[in-house]
Each structure stands twice: as C-alpha cells, then as structure tokens.
Amino acid sequence: MATDRQREFRFDGGATWLNLLGTRGQSFGPRPIERLATRARLADWLARCELTPLEPPTVEDLDRARALRQTLSTLALAVVDGVDPGGEVLAAARECAAGDPGPVRLVEGWPPRRLPPTDTAEALARIARQALEQLTGPERHQLVSCAEHDCRWVFLDPTGRRRWCPAPSCASRGRVRALRARRAADQP
C-alpha cells in the first residue's frame, strides 16, 4: 500500500509534461503508485500546473489523462533509449496535441498568463503539444531516465550528470544496491 508521501505529486521533472509522467510512481515495479486516482486528484494536479479548466474533469477526462501519460511515457523512453516506439504511439500524441487551439491567448494585465483551458481535453492538448515540442527539439538531448529499474521516470537533466530521478528514494536504493554488489564482488 502506498503511503501519503508516495502519493504526493512531483513537480521536479523540468516541464509540465514530464511532471504528468511523475503522476504514476514505480511504473515498472510490481506495485505502481497511482497519483491520479480520482477526478479530484486530476483537478488538483491541473490546478497546480496552472491549467485549471473552466469545467471540472469528468471520468472520461481522467481516463484520457492516464492514456496521455502512458503515450508520453512510451515516447519519452523511446527517445531516451533511441528506439522507435511505433507509429501508433506518435499518432496518439499528435491527435491529442491537435486539440490545442493554437496561438497563445493571454489574459489582460500583468504578469502575462494564458487564458485557462476551456476543458480538460484542451489542458491535456497543451501538455501533449509541449511534449512534442520538447521531444522534437534540442532539449530532447537533455532527457534522461532514472536508473532504478522500477522507476525509469524521464526528466530533464541539463547537466548530463544525474543517474537517478530527483526522488531521494531512487538514489538511496541505487546506492545501497551498488554497495551490496561491490561487497559481494569483494567476497572470496
């Protein structure tokens, strides 16, 4: 069972679309942690990303958000690993991004802010567009995947020196595993 701390949202991926990937923890482990468990949690996450839609998320929106997360995770890992994810994955991301209404529309006043999305589908379209922009631009070279086999969260690392995602638990587990392997190798 996941703890409250494990269910906390992560906003340290380097971009909103990467933070969406972080709404599912330990994705490759035996007990993944679902951080978008309800419509209310999706609404909370969107609000924290300054993407609060005019209409609250529906059950279909929650399913759409999870599907987009899976699509973008597959694409991100494919870019990091240098493999082709298949045309259907890219087509799904492209289809979702097509729902972005285009040019940025701003609210009057200072500081500059975008108009809120009309619905959750538009919010997700903005996220998909951001992902495609980054996955096809020079920032794609800064994407790395956490070295922990059960995490593999993709995040931005402009320094090129990170091995684990910003979660302290992944680095701790990785270091402990490496220490045990070194000790076992030293044993006669």
Side-chain angles (χ1 to χ4, degrees):
M1 190 81 174
T3 65
D4 286 343
R5 186 151 199 246
Q6 289 175 315
R7 282 191 215 94
E8 289 178 7
F9 291 130
R10 303 195 50 195
F11 295 100
D12 50 1
T16 302
W17 75 276
L18 293 167
N19 294 337
L20 176 63
L21 304 186
T23 61
R24 183 173 167 97
Q26 299 177 3
S27 295
F28 297 93
R31 291 182 299 281
I33 299 164
E34 180 58 68
R35 296 182 179 112
L36 291 180
T38 64
R39 293 180 305 141
R41 291 283 288 167
L42 174 58
D44 182 30
W45 185 83
L46 288 169
R48 291 182 190 201
C49 294
E50 298 183 11
L51 287 169
T52 302
L54 298 175
E55 298 291 325
T58 64
V59 171
E60 293 79 18
D61 291 330
L62 181 60
D63 292 341
R64 218 180 339 258
R66 290 176 181 162
L68 177 61
R69 177 183 62 198
Q70 182 58 48
T71 297
L72 296 181
S73 178
T74 301
L75 279 176
L77 285 169
V79 167
V80 168
D81 296 339
V83 298
D84 183 351
E88 62 278 352
V89 176
L90 190 55
R94 190 178 302 145
E95 182 180 330
C96 183
D100 186 0
V104 175
R105 297 168 295 149
L106 298 177
V107 173
E108 291 295 321
W110 187 258
R113 290 177 324 202
R114 285 184 83 165
L115 283 173
T118 56
D119 55 19
T120 302
E122 183 181 327
L124 296 174
R126 288 183 188 183
I127 293 168
R129 180 176 293 272
Q130 181 192 54
L132 291 175
E133 293 279 345
Q134 228 165 12
L135 287 168
T136 59
E139 292 145 326
R140 75 183 179 281
H141 301 293
Q142 297 175 1
L143 292 172
V144 294
S145 174
C146 181
E148 278 303 290
H149 68 283
D150 63 343
C151 179
R152 302 228 42 226
W153 184 37
V154 177
F155 57 96
L156 277 176
D157 177 23
T159 66
R161 296 186 306 221
R162 292 197 73 116
R163 196 163 158 211
W164 296 284
C165 71
S169 60
C170 286
S172 294
R173 288 184 297 152
R175 288 185 184 112
V176 167
R177 192 175 1 273
L179 176 65
R180 287 181 180 153
R182 282 193 305 276
R183 286 183 178 165
D186 290 343
Q187 296 293 321

